[in-house]
Structure formats: C-alpha cells, structure tokens
Amino acid sequence: MTREHRLTQVFITLADTLTDDFEPARFLRMLADATVELLEVDAVGLTVSGDCGVLRVLATPASPATQVDNYGSYATAEMLPLCLRGEVIGSMDLFRTTAVEFSEQDLTLGQALADMATIGLLHERGARSRDEVCGQLQHALDSRVLIEQAKGMLAERAGLSLLEAFTAMRSYARGKGSSLTTVATGVLDGTLQTAALLTR
C-alpha cells in the first residue's frame, strides 16, 4: 500500500472519531501512531494545552502512543505547530536519532496531520462550549416556564393579579435568600403554602 493510500485511510479513521463520544487522548494516540508510521520517524510527540493543563502523548515504532510527563532524551528534529486561524493549542514534535533531514514532502505531510489534530481538538472544544451554552439556555427557559406556572397558580388560589402573585413570590425568595425557581417549585408541589407567601 502506498503512503498516499495509507494517508487516506488515516484521515478517514480520524474523521470517524469526531463524534459525540469524542475522546481527545484517544484521538491524539491514534494520530501519533499514524504519524510514526507515515513519516518513518523514531518518535512523535504531541503536546496540547487546554482547560485541564497540558497533555503529552509520545509514540515510537516499537511502542504504541501513551501519555507521558516528558519526552525523554530524543533530539527534536522538527517542531510543527497545532494552529488554526491564529490559535495555537500545542505542537507536534518529530524526533529522529539520526541526522537525516526531513524532506519538504515529509514536513508538508506532517503539518497536514498536525492540522488534522488541531481541527479535531478545536471541534471538540467548540462542541463542548455549544453544549454548555445550550444547557444554560434550556435551564433558563425551564425556570421561566416553572415561574410562570407558579405565578398563575398562586394568583388563582389567592385571588391576586399575575403581577401581585409574582411580586409576592419574589419578595418571599429575597426574604429567605432563595431562588425564585425554588419558590416556584414549592408553590407547584404544595410544599410552600399560599399563606406563607402572603404574610411577608
């Protein structure tokens, strides 16, 4: 199999990992192993900085990629940035024990693999951020629905206007140092009596 065919397989395999259960460490190990094979180097080191610190992965022809604290005594032959649109998140280090220089083709291929790593990692970070934002928005919407339901129930029980019911709930929440959502839940499930809300 030619290197071009193997490269195609690698990109397809890596692209298949960009799913909901994406695992950055597993993704980097696969990439490091593939880079060792494709570039015929003595070792490949990937360093990625993120929210939880720095992750280092090292792969050699004789040993599958593993997480490490340092790269040992290899001499760095070339350093390739993990960078996309000006955002640098780490580097891919290509190690050789001999003085054989990397060809232009090797470096181009290495940078393509580094770019693949960057896209995968930034994709994961972006998806996580979007999920967090969506979760926050959904929580806000759920809370608003809860409050509106409780406001209507209190207004009906106590013969209040919707504004008066909301004011009573808000005043009670402030007085107790509680959230309006908690008060609304109490109104709806009956654990918070109408009289308690109106005596403040």
PDB file of all heavy atoms in Angstrom, residues 49-66:
ATOM      1  N   SER A  49      -2.163  22.034  25.091  1.00  0.00           N
ATOM      2  CA  SER A  49      -2.566  22.750  26.300  1.00  0.00           C
ATOM      3  C   SER A  49      -4.066  22.974  26.250  1.00  0.00           C
ATOM      4  O   SER A  49      -4.641  23.182  25.190  1.00  0.00           O
ATOM      5  CB  SER A  49      -1.838  24.094  26.398  1.00  0.00           C
ATOM      6  OG  SER A  49      -2.135  24.899  25.267  1.00  0.00           O
ATOM      7  N   GLY A  50      -4.702  22.911  27.407  1.00  0.00           N
ATOM      8  CA  GLY A  50      -6.150  23.085  27.457  1.00  0.00           C
ATOM      9  C   GLY A  50      -6.609  23.523  28.820  1.00  0.00           C
ATOM     10  O   GLY A  50      -5.814  23.924  29.674  1.00  0.00           O
ATOM     11  N   ASP A  51      -7.923  23.423  29.048  1.00  0.00           N
ATOM     12  CA  ASP A  51      -8.517  23.878  30.291  1.00  0.00           C
ATOM     13  C   ASP A  51      -7.979  23.097  31.494  1.00  0.00           C
ATOM     14  O   ASP A  51      -7.923  23.619  32.597  1.00  0.00           O
ATOM     15  CB  ASP A  51     -10.046  23.713  30.241  1.00  0.00           C
ATOM     16  CG  ASP A  51     -10.657  24.543  29.110  1.00  0.00           C
ATOM     17  OD1 ASP A  51     -10.016  25.539  28.726  1.00  0.00           O
ATOM     18  OD2 ASP A  51     -11.733  24.189  28.626  1.00  0.00           O
ATOM     19  N   CYS A  52      -7.612  21.841  31.289  1.00  0.00           N
ATOM     20  CA  CYS A  52      -7.205  20.987  32.403  1.00  0.00           C
ATOM     21  C   CYS A  52      -5.693  20.833  32.491  1.00  0.00           C
ATOM     22  O   CYS A  52      -5.194  19.917  33.138  1.00  0.00           O
ATOM     23  CB  CYS A  52      -7.864  19.617  32.279  1.00  0.00           C
ATOM     24  SG  CYS A  52      -9.663  19.684  32.299  1.00  0.00           S
ATOM     25  N   GLY A  53      -4.935  21.702  31.832  1.00  0.00           N
ATOM     26  CA  GLY A  53      -3.483  21.620  31.882  1.00  0.00           C
ATOM     27  C   GLY A  53      -2.890  21.199  30.562  1.00  0.00           C
ATOM     28  O   GLY A  53      -3.431  21.508  29.498  1.00  0.00           O
ATOM     29  N   VAL A  54      -1.763  20.482  30.616  1.00  0.00           N
ATOM     30  CA  VAL A  54      -1.029  20.084  29.414  1.00  0.00           C
ATOM     31  C   VAL A  54      -1.054  18.559  29.275  1.00  0.00           C
ATOM     32  O   VAL A  54      -0.798  17.836  30.234  1.00  0.00           O
ATOM     33  CB  VAL A  54       0.432  20.569  29.476  1.00  0.00           C
ATOM     34  CG1 VAL A  54       1.218  20.079  28.264  1.00  0.00           C
ATOM     35  CG2 VAL A  54       0.475  22.093  29.558  1.00  0.00           C
ATOM     36  N   LEU A  55      -1.398  18.106  28.080  1.00  0.00           N
ATOM     37  CA  LEU A  55      -1.419  16.673  27.776  1.00  0.00           C
ATOM     38  C   LEU A  55      -0.282  16.374  26.806  1.00  0.00           C
ATOM     39  O   LEU A  55      -0.138  17.032  25.782  1.00  0.00           O
ATOM     40  CB  LEU A  55      -2.757  16.283  27.143  1.00  0.00           C
ATOM     41  CG  LEU A  55      -2.869  14.859  26.582  1.00  0.00           C
ATOM     42  CD1 LEU A  55      -2.783  13.843  27.711  1.00  0.00           C
ATOM     43  CD2 LEU A  55      -4.166  14.698  25.810  1.00  0.00           C
ATOM     44  N   ARG A  56       0.533  15.365  27.155  1.00  0.00           N
ATOM     45  CA  ARG A  56       1.635  14.959  26.272  1.00  0.00           C
ATOM     46  C   ARG A  56       1.453  13.505  25.880  1.00  0.00           C
ATOM     47  O   ARG A  56       1.194  12.655  26.731  1.00  0.00           O
ATOM     48  CB  ARG A  56       2.982  15.162  26.967  1.00  0.00           C
ATOM     49  CG  ARG A  56       3.366  16.623  27.156  1.00  0.00           C
ATOM     50  CD  ARG A  56       4.770  16.740  27.733  1.00  0.00           C
ATOM     51  NE  ARG A  56       5.211  18.128  27.763  1.00  0.00           N
ATOM     52  CZ  ARG A  56       5.016  18.952  28.785  1.00  0.00           C
ATOM     53  NH1 ARG A  56       4.378  18.500  29.861  1.00  0.00           N
ATOM     54  NH2 ARG A  56       5.432  20.192  28.756  1.00  0.00           N
ATOM     55  N   VAL A  57       1.593  13.241  24.600  1.00  0.00           N
ATOM     56  CA  VAL A  57       1.480  11.877  24.067  1.00  0.00           C
ATOM     57  C   VAL A  57       2.732  11.591  23.247  1.00  0.00           C
ATOM     58  O   VAL A  57       3.159  12.419  22.440  1.00  0.00           O
ATOM     59  CB  VAL A  57       0.219  11.737  23.189  1.00  0.00           C
ATOM     60  CG1 VAL A  57       0.217  10.394  22.487  1.00  0.00           C
ATOM     61  CG2 VAL A  57      -1.043  11.904  24.021  1.00  0.00           C
ATOM     62  N   LEU A  58       3.338  10.420  23.474  1.00  0.00           N
ATOM     63  CA  LEU A  58       4.543  10.029  22.746  1.00  0.00           C
ATOM     64  C   LEU A  58       4.329   8.676  22.089  1.00  0.00           C
ATOM     65  O   LEU A  58       3.804   7.755  22.704  1.00  0.00           O
ATOM     66  CB  LEU A  58       5.737   9.945  23.702  1.00  0.00           C
ATOM     67  CG  LEU A  58       7.072   9.538  23.062  1.00  0.00           C
ATOM     68  CD1 LEU A  58       7.606  10.662  22.183  1.00  0.00           C
ATOM     69  CD2 LEU A  58       8.091   9.174  24.142  1.00  0.00           C
ATOM     70  N   ALA A  59       4.740   8.567  20.829  1.00  0.00           N
ATOM     71  CA  ALA A  59       4.642   7.299  20.098  1.00  0.00           C
ATOM     72  C   ALA A  59       5.979   6.979  19.457  1.00  0.00           C
ATOM     73  O   ALA A  59       6.688   7.865  18.979  1.00  0.00           O
ATOM     74  CB  ALA A  59       3.561   7.383  19.031  1.00  0.00           C
ATOM     75  N   THR A  60       6.330   5.692  19.428  1.00  0.00           N
ATOM     76  CA  THR A  60       7.535   5.212  18.745  1.00  0.00           C
ATOM     77  C   THR A  60       7.148   4.005  17.899  1.00  0.00           C
ATOM     78  O   THR A  60       6.089   3.413  18.115  1.00  0.00           O
ATOM     79  CB  THR A  60       8.630   4.795  19.751  1.00  0.00           C
ATOM     80  OG1 THR A  60       8.205   3.613  20.426  1.00  0.00           O
ATOM     81  CG2 THR A  60       8.917   5.893  20.754  1.00  0.00           C
ATOM     82  N   PRO A  61       7.990   3.609  16.965  1.00  0.00           N
ATOM     83  CA  PRO A  61       7.653   2.432  16.144  1.00  0.00           C
ATOM     84  C   PRO A  61       7.463   1.164  16.971  1.00  0.00           C
ATOM     85  O   PRO A  61       6.693   0.283  16.613  1.00  0.00           O
ATOM     86  CB  PRO A  61       8.870   2.298  15.212  1.00  0.00           C
ATOM     87  CG  PRO A  61       9.439   3.673  15.138  1.00  0.00           C
ATOM     88  CD  PRO A  61       9.222   4.262  16.493  1.00  0.00           C
ATOM     89  N   ALA A  62       8.180   1.061  18.111  1.00  0.00           N
ATOM     90  CA  ALA A  62       8.116  -0.163  18.909  1.00  0.00           C
ATOM     91  C   ALA A  62       7.062  -0.094  20.013  1.00  0.00           C
ATOM     92  O   ALA A  62       6.740  -1.104  20.624  1.00  0.00           O
ATOM     93  CB  ALA A  62       9.476  -0.439  19.551  1.00  0.00           C
ATOM     94  N   SER A  63       6.528   1.082  20.262  1.00  0.00           N
ATOM     95  CA  SER A  63       5.591   1.239  21.381  1.00  0.00           C
ATOM     96  C   SER A  63       4.422   2.109  20.965  1.00  0.00           C
ATOM     97  O   SER A  63       4.615   3.223  20.470  1.00  0.00           O
ATOM     98  CB  SER A  63       6.318   1.871  22.569  1.00  0.00           C
ATOM     99  OG  SER A  63       5.404   2.135  23.610  1.00  0.00           O
ATOM    100  N   PRO A  64       3.182   1.617  21.161  1.00  0.00           N
ATOM    101  CA  PRO A  64       2.011   2.440  20.853  1.00  0.00           C
ATOM    102  C   PRO A  64       2.019   3.721  21.676  1.00  0.00           C
ATOM    103  O   PRO A  64       2.612   3.782  22.745  1.00  0.00           O
ATOM    104  CB  PRO A  64       0.830   1.536  21.242  1.00  0.00           C
ATOM    105  CG  PRO A  64       1.384   0.154  21.238  1.00  0.00           C
ATOM    106  CD  PRO A  64       2.807   0.295  21.661  1.00  0.00           C
ATOM    107  N   ALA A  65       1.350   4.731  21.188  1.00  0.00           N
ATOM    108  CA  ALA A  65       1.336   6.027  21.846  1.00  0.00           C
ATOM    109  C   ALA A  65       0.765   5.936  23.253  1.00  0.00           C
ATOM    110  O   ALA A  65      -0.232   5.279  23.505  1.00  0.00           O
ATOM    111  CB  ALA A  65       0.520   7.018  21.019  1.00  0.00           C
ATOM    112  N   THR A  66       1.438   6.605  24.168  1.00  0.00           N
ATOM    113  CA  THR A  66       0.978   6.668  25.555  1.00  0.00           C
ATOM    114  C   THR A  66       1.164   8.088  26.075  1.00  0.00           C
ATOM    115  O   THR A  66       1.971   8.859  25.558  1.00  0.00           O
ATOM    116  CB  THR A  66       1.774   5.718  26.461  1.00  0.00           C
ATOM    117  OG1 THR A  66       3.175   6.016  26.343  1.00  0.00           O
ATOM    118  CG2 THR A  66       1.540   4.266  26.078  1.00  0.00           C
TER     119      THR A  66
END
